[in-house]
Amino acid sequence: MRNETKATNPVLELKNVSKTYSVKQGLLGKSRPLTALRDLSLRLEQGEVLGLVGESGCGKSTLAKILLGLEAPTSGEVLVDGAPLGSQDRLALARRIQPIFQDPYSSLNPRKTIADIISLPLRVHGIGDAASQQAAVREILDVVGLPSRVMHTYPSQMSGGQRQRVAIARALVMKPDIVICDEPTSALDVSVQSQILNLLADLRRDLGLTYLFISHNLAVVEHLATRVAVMYLGRIVEEAETEALFDGARHPYSEALLTSVLTPDPSLGVPRMNLGAAYPNPIDPPSGCAFHPRCAKATEACARQRPAPVVDEDGLIACFHPNGMAPTRSRPAEAAPRLSASV
Amino acid sequence: MTSPLLSVRNLKVDIPSGSGTLHPVRGIDFDLHRGEVLCVVGESGSGKSLTSLSLMGLLGRTLERSADRMEFDGINLLGASGRQMRKLRGARMAMIFQEPMTSLNPVYTIGDQLIEALLLHRRMPRAQARARAVELLEKVGITAAASRLGQYPHQLSGGLRQRVMIAMALMCEPQMIIADEPTTALDVTIQAQILRLLYDLVREMDMAMILITHDLGVVARVADKVAVMYAGELVETGTVAEVFDQPLHPYTRGLLDCIPQPGKTGRGEPLGTIPGIVPSLVGQVDGCVFRTRCTQAGPACLGPIPRRSRDGHLFRCVHTDGYAPAETKAI
Ligand SMILES: Nc1ncnc2c1ncn2[C@@H]1O[C@H](COP(=O)(O)OP(=O)(O)O)[C@@H](O)[C@H]1O
Ligand SMILES: Nc1ncnc2c1ncn2[C@@H]1O[C@H](COP(=O)(O)OP(=O)(O)O)[C@@H](O)[C@H]1O
Ligand SMILES: [Mg+2]
Ligand SMILES: [Mg+2]
């Protein structure tokens, strides 16, 4: 694992994190455990844009909430700058890590003015007096490209794109280092989406931000991310530099995801997807590799055992039959996980 | 040239309100031929859904529809009674919506709903209707179809529900399908499967389809013809190759610049933008609706806007080729 000798500087790290919810099935049904994250490890490196992709329900938002300290993992560790998240002061953390969520409609309080919404974190943290808080609001509005006259308006008086700018302003007014973006442009029209994406890219350059960027839009991820992690049913199945991933994914699931991207090229038709079955039920996950029921390459071994994640110089891959020329070296002792541990 | 299956001229929708009449659809013209896929693309609020509901005769009572012509397979839809429209919708034109849960009845099983509709429109014996329902579910790629008949809509995934909706739409072998954002709520993997299915079915059954979407990637891959809608008007219409390779209207060009395109947009490079917002469509709408956001706008854009044609590639713009002449270009 050469990766470990590479100089890395993770600002956020998940170590073997699992998250289990309890869900009721049907009106009178018993509660059953739903494992949204399974023994998941991930590092967010200083200054990178880590794209996180995967179908809905695979656990992306759960992962985001855990990184933000909004949800506690059932097991495993969350480290901020190498120290356990739980050991750190909540307010200090909020100064460093801020979220931008998908829905600019529901995440802004409709009864507060834009100035109130943006300055709330400053007031909570007791930063400055009223006058300096107003000045900070004006400054950050300028950064996100909103005129200062919007300060006294309400969210309902703004367009979707403007509201998402307000949400970004609210996240940035604390001058965080890390921004967790969960589908930040998914509710927006493309002409507005491009403005927000440009803004996020500019802010990263100007303020030196680190992003976790969750999106189901792979074209957007390819555009913005420096590295990508692909998730399937609560686990990371592949990690790679963006260019390498889009040049040739190693995991058959990543490959399927990339195939499904409809680039605006009229000389191409709709791809034929090679995904047999439907996305699995997380309450009843498949044995072995969770992707095996949908995988064209699946063999008997895939149904029986879960491929352990292998870290190499190209990133991470968890597959018995990865694409690519060189067969992936597996770690000798850990390659075949114990059966009991995999389900 | 054969006569079109659907021919629409000057379609308008007006919505009276306290503060004046809203004109969300203004002067839509297009022809749809048999076996053709027309994609109507535009951002939210541009009037795509109102246009499709107008065609199906499904507009709400408070909305006023008018047109110079709206003809489907020789039938004048403008003069059709409610009863005639219901018959047409059951048998010859079908619609698929974005969220199948709103069109499937949650308290009846999939089988109930499919079989009931067959009994109603086709008057076939129950056993035969059941067999046909299974056949239809298989046709839309649903495995273990017979066992699905007893399931309720909420027990199916979003992708499966959309397949059931497509099965219902196909039931009477319609000549035309209108699909309004059929894959917008689905994962990209499922989206590709559903689009592939629709595309193959349209070809196989020689239907015509109007596919409404905001996604230019979907349009590029599925459309034969494209109509670009902005603020209630079709600003550009042409074949998919014409519109993508040689967009003439400044809005179409702007829209294409906004999306990251591998190979064209450099990673991390700024994307194109269309600053500004859609104008109010309440009251009289004069000149070009896009002028407030257009890089090519000039004083002439306040006047009447000609409809131009380049060998059938249509666009609405005061500029002959969609670009302002260099000397008159606005600031
Ligand atoms: N509060 C919760 N209670 C029960 N189940 C939940 C809760 N939040 C998420 N889940 C479940 O956890 C899984 C992962 O959800 P989520 O993290 O939202 O996925 P994604 O963001 O990738 O779509 C899903 O199956 C979802 O239904
Ligand atoms: N029943 C209605 N009453 C008032 N306004 C409506 C109604 N239906 C649609 N509109 C308005 O008409 C415009 C076009 O709507 P729609 O056709 O749904 O757009 P699209 O499908 O392109 O997103 C929007 O501005 C919308 O708010
Ligand atoms: Mg989510
Ligand atoms: Mg619509």
Side-chain angles (χ1 to χ4, degrees):
Chain A
M1 296 200 295
R2 289 183 217 176
N3 211 30
E4 297 211 329
T5 61
K6 224 188 244 174
T8 64
N9 184 14
V11 284
L12 274 180
E13 186 170 5
L14 296 177
K15 269 191 168 166
N16 307 98
V17 164
S18 293
K19 176 69 186 178
T20 303
Y21 295 106
S22 173
V23 293
K24 255 203 168 123
Q25 289 198 305
L27 281 177
L28 305 166
K30 283 202 305 261
S31 286
R32 294 188 59 185
L34 182 156
T35 305
L37 299 180
R38 299 168 179 269
D39 192 20
L40 186 147
S41 298
L42 188 70
R43 291 167 157 201
L44 184 63
E45 304 284 344
Q46 170 75 46
E48 76 173 339
V49 180
L50 176 61
L52 184 64
V53 300
E55 285 163 290
S56 54
C58 72
K60 303 181 296 297
S61 294
T62 303
L63 189 153
K65 285 183 216 148
I66 286 177
L67 286 177
L68 286 160
L70 300 174
E71 295 256 18
T74 311
S75 64
E77 267 191 303
V78 185
L79 305 178
V80 183
D81 296 322
L85 181 119
S87 71
Q88 306 192 22
D89 175 46
R90 267 208 60 79
L91 286 182
L93 278 177
R95 285 191 80 151
R96 288 214 59 197
I97 313 169
Q98 282 283 326
I100 301 170
F101 292 120
Q102 164 169 2
D103 191 354
Y105 300 82
S106 61
S107 64
L108 302 180
N109 186 336
R111 284 182 296 277
K112 298 278 190 219
T113 65
I114 300 307
D116 283 341
I117 289 171
I118 296 175
S119 63
L120 176 81
L122 297 173
R123 284 179 276 127
V124 169
H125 290 264
I127 298 173
D129 54 13
S132 74
Q133 287 168 1
Q134 291 293 301
V137 169
R138 251 188 215 101
E139 186 188 323
I140 203 73
L141 281 173
D142 188 51
V143 170
V144 301
L146 286 172
S148 54
R149 67 183 135 79
V150 304
M151 285 176 77
H152 308 295
T153 61
Y154 292 86
S156 62
Q157 294 165 276
M158 308 188 99
S159 70
Q162 287 179 315
R163 280 188 263 217
Q164 196 57 297
R165 284 174 195 265
V166 171
I168 294 173
R170 179 180 57 179
L172 295 183
V173 75
M174 294 300 297
K175 307 207 187 312
D177 309 311
I178 306 162
V179 184
I180 309 288
C181 309
D182 191 354
E183 305 273 6
T185 61
S186 299
L188 305 175
D189 275 317
V190 289
S191 69
V192 182
Q193 166 177 287
S194 69
Q195 295 173 32
I196 299 295
L197 293 176
N198 287 350
L199 174 63
L200 289 173
D202 289 348
L203 293 172
R204 173 182 175 232
R205 201 184 39 238
D206 298 346
L207 309 176
L209 302 178
T210 301
Y211 292 140
L212 178 76
F213 189 85
I214 299 175
S215 177
H216 70 273
N217 185 331
L218 276 95
V220 165
V221 170
E222 180 177 11
H223 181 73
L224 208 67
T226 53
R227 198 163 64 92
V228 182
V230 181
M231 246 179 117
Y232 194 77
L233 207 69
R235 296 184 198 273
I236 305 284
V237 297
E238 179 165 5
E239 271 177 59
E241 300 292 319
T242 307
E243 210 157 296
L245 185 82
F246 282 84
D247 281 350
R250 292 195 284 173
H251 199 286
Y253 177 63
S254 316
E255 190 189 6
L257 270 186
L258 298 188
T259 308
S260 69
V261 180
L262 304 178
T263 49
D265 182 347
S267 67
L268 301 174
V270 183
R272 282 181 201 282
M273 300 296 295
N274 223 348
L275 286 173
Y279 192 78
N281 179 353
I283 294 182
D284 231 342
S287 63
C289 170
F291 184 58
H292 88 265
R294 301 170 80 189
C295 183
K297 290 181 143 184
T299 55
E300 189 257 337
C302 306
R304 199 159 29 84
Q305 300 187 345
R306 183 174 58 77
V310 176
V311 177
D312 59 21
E313 64 268 31
D314 297 326
L316 175 149
I317 174 81
C319 178
F320 289 131
H321 311 291
N323 300 323
M325 303 128 294
T328 312
R329 280 147 302 161
S330 49
R331 286 176 288 180
E334 301 153 61
R338 281 175 295 278
L339 283 178
S340 57
S342 66
V343 273
Chain B
M1 188 109 184
T2 56
S3 63
L5 177 66
L6 177 69
S7 182
V8 176
R9 291 293 177 275
N10 201 20
L11 171 64
K12 293 179 178 164
V13 177
D14 292 334
I15 307 180
S17 79
S19 49
T21 302
L22 177 71
H23 304 285
V25 176
R26 298 185 312 286
I28 301 292
D29 297 341
F30 69 89
D31 288 335
L32 177 72
H33 290 86
R34 287 171 183 78
E36 195 170 71
V37 178
L38 168 72
C39 281
V40 179
V41 62
E43 297 181 271
S44 56
S46 55
K48 305 181 297 294
S49 293
L50 288 179
T51 301
S52 60
L53 293 171
S54 307
L55 299 172
M56 297 294 286
L58 289 172
L59 278 186
R61 280 180 202 287
T62 54
L63 283 64
E64 293 164 10
R65 177 189 76 180
S66 69
D68 294 346
R69 175 159 89 225
M70 223 166 82
E71 228 174 71
F72 173 75
D73 200 20
I75 303 163
N76 176 12
L77 296 180
L78 291 170
S81 68
R83 196 164 156 254
Q84 282 170 311
M85 283 309 296
R86 267 195 301 281
K87 251 183 110 179
L88 276 176
R89 283 196 300 266
R92 297 171 64 180
M93 41 203 247
M95 187 144 179
I96 299 167
F97 296 95
Q98 170 173 341
E99 185 29 77
M101 272 316 257
T102 56
S103 351
L104 291 170
N105 190 325
V107 303
Y108 293 101
T109 64
I110 301 304
D112 288 338
Q113 301 189 50
L114 271 169
I115 293 166
E116 211 44 56
L118 280 165
L119 294 175
L120 191 72
H121 292 292
R122 283 283 161 113
R123 301 170 193 281
M124 52 174 69
R126 185 164 276 276
Q128 197 184 331
R130 196 190 138 82
R132 173 87 179 124
V134 171
E135 189 186 313
L136 280 167
L137 290 180
E138 281 167 353
K139 193 170 186 72
V140 297
I142 294 181
T143 51
S147 70
R148 300 283 185 191
L149 290 180
Q151 290 191 313
Y152 290 89
H154 74 266
Q155 294 175 305
L156 305 180
S157 68
L160 274 180
R161 283 199 290 263
Q162 200 53 288
R163 284 176 195 265
V164 170
M165 277 308 299
I166 295 171
M168 294 189 81
L170 294 178
M171 204 155 44
C172 297
E173 294 171 22
Q175 293 162 284
M176 176 176 85
I177 286 191
I178 300 181
D180 189 353
E181 308 256 12
T183 58
T184 301
L186 303 175
D187 269 309
V188 286
T189 48
I190 314 296
Q191 158 165 291
Q193 292 173 9
I194 296 287
L195 288 175
R196 185 77 231 175
L197 171 70
L198 272 175
Y199 187 86
D200 289 342
L201 288 169
V202 164
R203 290 284 182 269
E204 180 193 323
M205 300 172 71
D206 198 29
M207 292 182 289
M209 175 160 76
I210 299 178
L211 186 106
I212 290 170
T213 179
H214 66 277
D215 185 333
L216 288 159
V218 170
V219 179
R221 304 300 190 94
V222 179
D224 299 313
K225 274 207 264 175
V226 181
V228 181
M229 195 157 186
Y230 179 77
E233 294 175 7
L234 296 187
V235 295
E236 178 161 358
T237 313
T239 65
V240 67
E242 284 168 346
V243 172
F244 279 80
D245 299 341
Q246 228 177 53
L248 291 172
H249 197 282
Y251 177 62
T252 313
R253 292 199 299 268
L255 213 49
L256 284 166
D257 283 345
C258 284
I259 48 173
Q261 299 189 55
K264 283 190 194 162
T265 19
R267 180 162 304 142
E269 294 289 305
L271 299 166
T273 58
I274 305 177
I277 54 167
V278 179
S280 160
L281 302 176
V282 174
Q284 177 81 16
V285 180
D286 286 320
C288 173
V289 266
F290 187 56
R291 69 173 186 275
T292 54
R293 305 174 72 185
C294 184
T295 54
Q296 310 296 316
C301 305
L302 279 160
I305 306 301
R307 296 171 191 218
R308 302 181 182 279
S309 171
R310 260 199 202 173
D311 305 323
H313 180 180
L314 307 171
F315 67 114
R316 288 185 180 192
C317 186
V318 293
H319 308 305
T320 47
D321 56 359
Y323 286 98
E327 65 273 22
T328 62
K329 196 171 256 177
I331 9 67

